[in-house]
Amino acid sequence: ATLASERFPDQDQIKIALARADLASGRYQACYETLNHANVLPFEGQRDIQALYANCQMALAIEAIRGGNFKLAEERLKGSKVYPEHLGTGRPADPDFRVQDYLLMLSQDRAGGPAGAAESAARRADFDAYAKRHSRKNLAELRGQLDAWASASLGHKEPLAALEELSAIVRGPRGR
């Protein structure tokens, strides 16, 4: 993918392949930069590029949380909720941001302070509102699994693997 992107720097599909390779290889910053320079035309049913963008930013946020840089983690997590026009996908009517909201809660709880506590409470409400609208488990029902994930996976697994585990807990095994 790297060689192809060097030979054909204007081919956005090659940029997307490079971004996927970077994400899978743990080069999250390179993935982010590649996607920021891509210009993908929209097509019907396309969701994977925005998911790639979101996963890249959430993996960067996990690295920032591990390093104690909660401000950067918050920026990345809020950025992962954006549907950039240059990546070809419009925002759906009711996007599922529960993974981002949980990571924001976790980051804000670890950062401490009254502002973090207020933001964290707002994220909890957002998480539960989405779960209620779609007949899914709320935060209280998932608390044990989420706490186990935070202690076992957040600081010990590769960010992408930890993120996939978290997503399976929050969204269920099929990602819904």
Side-chain angles (χ1 to χ4, degrees):
T2 302
L3 291 173
S5 70
E6 289 170 359
R7 283 191 70 187
F8 305 101
D10 296 331
Q11 295 294 316
D12 288 317
Q13 290 305 317
I14 292 174
K15 289 179 187 176
I16 299 305
L18 177 61
R20 282 191 180 104
D22 285 338
L23 182 68
S25 300
R27 295 186 304 265
Y28 310 120
Q29 187 62 38
C31 175
Y32 176 75
E33 289 171 14
T34 298
L35 289 173
N36 271 342
H37 293 95
N39 190 17
V40 181
L41 295 175
F43 60 90
E44 189 68 32
Q46 174 187 359
R47 289 189 204 169
D48 62 327
I49 296 172
Q50 200 288 327
L52 178 67
Y53 179 76
N55 287 339
C56 170
Q57 292 222 64
M58 286 188 283
L60 286 166
I62 288 172
E63 288 181 337
I65 291 169
R66 286 179 180 173
N69 191 343
F70 304 113
K71 182 177 168 117
L72 178 61
E74 186 174 339
E75 288 173 21
R76 293 296 186 183
L77 290 165
K78 287 181 178 179
S80 73
K81 291 181 170 189
V82 173
Y83 283 75
E85 203 171 289
H86 70 275
L87 292 181
T89 304
R91 181 181 166 125
D94 190 18
D96 183 359
F97 294 133
R98 290 175 298 158
V99 173
Q100 290 98 320
D101 286 339
Y102 175 73
L103 288 170
L104 275 164
M105 279 185 271
L106 190 69
S107 178
Q108 290 158 346
D109 287 345
R110 289 183 179 197
E119 275 286 318
S120 183
R123 297 290 167 217
R124 283 179 174 78
D126 289 346
F127 188 104
D128 286 341
Y130 186 89
K132 186 176 182 179
R133 283 194 311 272
H134 297 282
S135 301
R136 301 209 174 108
K137 291 182 180 179
N138 66 23
L139 195 58
E141 293 171 306
L142 295 172
R143 177 58 63 195
Q145 288 177 290
L146 293 171
D147 289 345
W149 174 86
S151 64
S153 298
L154 178 63
H156 305 290
K157 291 191 175 185
E158 286 296 316
L160 188 59
L163 181 60
E164 288 170 355
E165 237 180 63
L166 176 60
S167 184
I169 293 167
V170 171
R171 294 184 178 141
R174 291 196 230 168
R176 294 181 180 189

